[in-house]
Amino acid sequence: MSIEPQLRSDLANIVEPQLVRTLEQLGFLGEVSEVDGQVRVELVLPVTAWPNLALLEAEVLERAPGANVSVRTMNDEQRLELRNFLRGAMASDPGPGHHDHGDAQPRFMAKLSKTRILGISSGKGGVGKSSVTVNLAISLARAGYQVGVLDADVYGFSLPKMLGALNDPIVLGDTVIPTLAHGIRCVSMGYFVPDEQPVIWRGPMLHKAIEQLVTEAWWDEPDFLLIDMPPGTGDVALTLSEVLPRIEMYVVTTPQAAAQRVAQRSAYAARKLKLAVRGVIENMSWFTGDDAKRYEIFGSGGGEKLAAELGVALLGQIPLEMALRSGGDIGEPVVVAHPESDAALAFVALAANVAAQGPARVYRQELRLV
Ligand SMILES: Nc1ncnc2c1ncn2[C@@H]1O[C@H](COP(=O)(O)OP(=O)(O)O)[C@@H](O)[C@H]1O
Ligand SMILES: [Mg+2]
C-alpha cells in the first residue's frame, strides 16, 4: 500500500543536527512504505553507528508515530555522493552552472566569510588555554552562534577529553565530519595519531597535518572557529598565519608577573607573523573561599598589565573553580555542568565581549591609497 506523499516530504525535511542539512539533501532517507498498516522508514547513513541516530529516530517517530525505523549503511557510491554534496555545500560559490564536486576552497576561509577564526594561545602550558577554548566555544554556541573547535595543540591534545567527544570522527574519503559535543563541532589531531604515543612532528609534516585539519574537516561556515594552539610560538602559528591569515589571536595568561612576561613574548611573535592580537584572557584570577572572600592565589594584575602593554582589551577574568578542573577531566565543561558558577558566568561574559568587539579590521597593503 502506498503511503501519503505528505509523510515522505515531512520526513525528508528533518534536519540532521550534525550536518545541519535535511535528510533529503544528505540522501539519508531511504524507502518509506506501509505494509498492513505498519509504516516502515528506512534511514540510509554513512555508518551504522551514526552519532545522532537516536535523535533522528525520535524525529521520525514524531512525524510517523509507531513507525518501524531501520538503518541501512551507505554504499561507496552513496558515500561519495554525500562527500561531494558536503564539499559543495561549504565551498566558495563557484558561480552559476559550475559543478566542481566541491573541491574549491572552503567558504569559511575566504576573506569575506562571516566566520571569525579565534586562535587561543598562551606563552606556556598549564595556564588553562584548553579550558578557555572549550568553555568559550560552548558559551558562544549557547548565545546562538554556530561554533567549531580545532585542537591544534599537537603536543598535548586535550579537547576531545574535555568535551567528552571521544568517538572517532566519521571520515568520507578526504572529508572529515567533526564530532558534535555540547553543540559544538570538534576536530582534534588526537583522533588521527595512535593513542598515548608521543608524536615527533617535523616541520613539513606538521604543516601538512594542520593544513589538512583546517581544509578537510567539514566546518561548514560557522560563526566562530576556535583553535587551541600549542603554547609558545612555533610552527603551528606560522602555518596558521599562512593558511588562515584572518586568524585573531587571544592570549591566555595567569595573574602572575612571570606568566605575563612569557605570554607577552608569544603575543609579540604573533605580531611578527602579522596576526591580529585581539585580546587578553586572564585565568585563575582568584579563588572564592567558603568564607566568601576572594583569594588571589596567583597574585593580581597580570592580565591587565599584559593587555595594556599590547594595547588590547582584557576581555575576561576567570576565577579558579574546582568544578572547572573536575569537569574538564570527565568531559563535562563547567559552563554545562555548573552554569550558575562564577567561572561559568565569567565565560558567558567573555563570550559576549568577544562577540561584541566584532572581527578584526584588516588593512591590506594593496588597498592603501598613498
Ligand atoms: N580556572 C580554573 N579553575 C580550576 N582549574 C583550572 C582552571 N583553569 C584550568 N584549570 C585546570 O588546570 C589544568 C590545566 O588547564 P588546561 O586548560 O589543560 O591548560 P593548557 O591548555 O593551557 O595547558 C587542567 O587540569 C584544568 O582543568
Ligand atoms: Mg591544553
Side-chain angles (χ1 to χ4, degrees):
M1 197 176 117
S2 72
I3 53 130
E4 289 181 48
Q6 183 61 38
L7 176 60
R8 180 160 182 108
S9 80
D10 281 353
L11 295 172
N13 284 326
I14 292 174
V15 174
E16 203 292 320
Q18 194 137 353
L19 300 170
V20 213
R21 298 296 189 280
T22 65
L23 299 191
E24 177 75 38
Q25 289 173 306
L26 298 168
F28 278 14
L29 186 61
E31 229 174 286
V32 181
S33 59
E34 190 176 331
V35 181
D36 299 332
Q38 170 71 57
V39 176
R40 294 177 183 197
V41 179
E42 186 187 47
L43 297 175
V44 185
L45 303 175
V47 290
T48 330
W50 183 252
N52 304 310
L53 180 55
L55 282 174
L56 289 182
E57 274 173 340
E59 295 269 348
V60 168
L61 290 176
E62 203 171 287
R63 289 158 182 82
N68 177 317
V69 184
S70 62
V71 176
R72 186 154 58 83
T73 320
M74 286 185 167
N75 60 31
D76 288 348
E77 196 182 317
Q78 289 165 323
R79 285 167 65 93
L80 180 65
E81 223 168 276
L82 175 63
R83 178 263 173 210
N84 289 346
F85 167 74
L86 290 175
R87 299 296 284 204
M90 78 163 188
S92 310
D93 184 8
H98 189 103
H99 296 287
D100 64 352
H101 299 294
D103 291 315
Q105 191 192 52
R107 197 162 60 237
F108 81 89
M109 292 175 69
K111 232 185 270 185
L112 294 176
S113 166
K114 69 168 182 180
T115 304
R116 285 178 62 191
I117 301 159
L118 316 181
I120 313 297
S121 66
S122 67
K124 54 174 190 161
V127 300
K129 185 172 47 67
S130 301
S131 305
V132 166
T133 304
V134 159
N135 286 287
L136 171 58
I138 297 174
S139 301
L140 286 165
R142 295 195 159 188
Y145 297 105
Q146 284 225 25
V147 182
V149 292
L150 170 59
D151 187 1
D153 187 348
V154 290
Y155 307 104
F157 319 114
S158 56
L159 295 198
K161 189 161 162 264
M162 281 187 174
L163 283 164
L166 295 171
N167 55 317
D168 285 342
I170 290 154
V171 179
L172 295 169
D174 60 1
T175 301
V176 178
I177 297 174
T179 309
L180 191 70
H182 304 295
I184 62 179
R185 300 194 179 123
C186 173
V187 167
S188 172
M189 187 89 82
Y191 290 138
F192 303 99
V193 297
D195 255 5
E196 316 296 344
Q197 277 185 34
V199 186
I200 298 158
W201 294 103
R202 291 179 208 289
M205 196 173 107
L206 180 60
H207 180 90
K208 187 77 200 148
I210 296 281
E211 192 179 25
Q212 279 180 332
L213 286 190
V214 170
T215 59
E216 297 190 355
W218 196 76
W219 297 114
D220 202 6
E221 191 182 16
D223 297 298
F224 292 95
L225 176 62
L226 279 69
I227 305 183
D228 186 2
M229 296 171 61
T233 57
D235 290 351
V236 172
L238 180 61
T239 291
L240 288 173
S241 73
E242 287 167 9
V243 179
L244 296 169
R246 287 195 300 115
I247 190 169
E248 307 170 30
M249 300 293 289
Y250 292 81
V251 186
V252 181
T253 189
T254 63
Q256 255 169 315
Q260 166 237 325
R261 279 193 297 276
V262 182
Q264 191 177 351
R265 245 179 281 146
S266 81
Y268 286 147
R271 284 200 173 147
K272 276 222 178 92
L273 294 173
K274 303 232 183 319
L275 301 178
V277 178
R278 301 296 315 284
V280 170
I281 300 159
E282 188 186 83
N283 186 30
M284 311 191 181
S285 298
W286 60 78
F287 176 77
T288 306
D290 288 340
D291 54 5
K293 258 198 228 153
R294 282 186 179 183
Y295 293 91
E296 292 174 329
I297 293 171
F298 292 113
S300 68
E304 209 164 325
K305 193 143 177 266
L306 179 61
E309 271 159 11
L310 297 173
V312 297
L314 173 61
L315 294 169
Q317 288 180 292
I318 317 295
L320 278 160
E321 188 112 22
M322 205 98 89
L324 196 158
R325 204 263 318 139
S326 56
D329 291 348
I330 56 168
E332 284 176 15
V334 71
V335 293
V336 175
H338 297 277
E340 75 300 334
S341 65
D342 285 348
L345 296 175
F347 281 118
V348 171
L350 170 65
N353 286 340
V354 169
Q357 76 169 357
R361 244 175 269 242
V362 183
Y363 296 102
R364 295 199 186 273
Q365 208 73 34
E366 62 268 26
L367 290 181
R368 226 169 257 168
L369 294 178
V370 285

